């Protein structure tokens, strides 16, 4: 079985365990994850989430909200230009 196949067959219980290990930096039995283990677990978590978890529930999701129609980035009624004094 390849690494890819292993991740694709991962069940939710294993996913939750790997996610918790990454968050806490240690395995459920208390042993600390090595940098390599943490990296591999995070990769597996991200891959699992991309296939099975809604975007707004994934690790690292940032809710950017919705802009009003026609509004541009940074536009505001109370914005004032910056004056540079020399």
């Amino acid at each position: 079985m390849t690494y890819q196949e292993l991740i694709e067959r991962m069940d939710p219980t294993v996913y939750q365990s790997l996610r918790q290990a990454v968050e806490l930096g240690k395995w459920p039995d208390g042993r600390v994850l090595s940098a390599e283990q943490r990296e591999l677990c995070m990769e597996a978590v991200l891959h699992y989430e991309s296939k099975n978890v809604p975007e707004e529930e994934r690790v690292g999701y940032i809710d950017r909200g919705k802009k009003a129609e026609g509004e541009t980035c940074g536009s505001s009624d109370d914005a004032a230009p910056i004056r540079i004094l020399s």
Side-chain angles (χ1 to χ4, degrees), residues 59-76:
V59 171
Y61 173 76
I62 298 173
D63 184 6
R64 303 222 186 258
K66 302 233 186 259
K67 292 183 183 177
E69 192 171 317
E71 184 179 333
T72 59
C73 184
S75 69
S76 175

Side-chain angles (χ1 to χ4, degrees), residues 26-58:
K26 59 184 179 178
W27 295 111
D29 66 1
R31 290 178 295 139
V32 177
L33 268 72
S34 69
E36 183 180 13
Q37 288 172 329
R38 196 170 200 163
E39 183 179 325
L40 289 171
C41 288
M42 187 65 186
E43 184 179 324
V45 166
L46 292 174
H47 183 79
Y48 178 89
E49 287 183 350
S50 72
K51 303 286 185 190
N52 302 297
V53 178
E55 183 178 5
E56 62 276 356
E57 295 176 23
R58 294 180 191 163

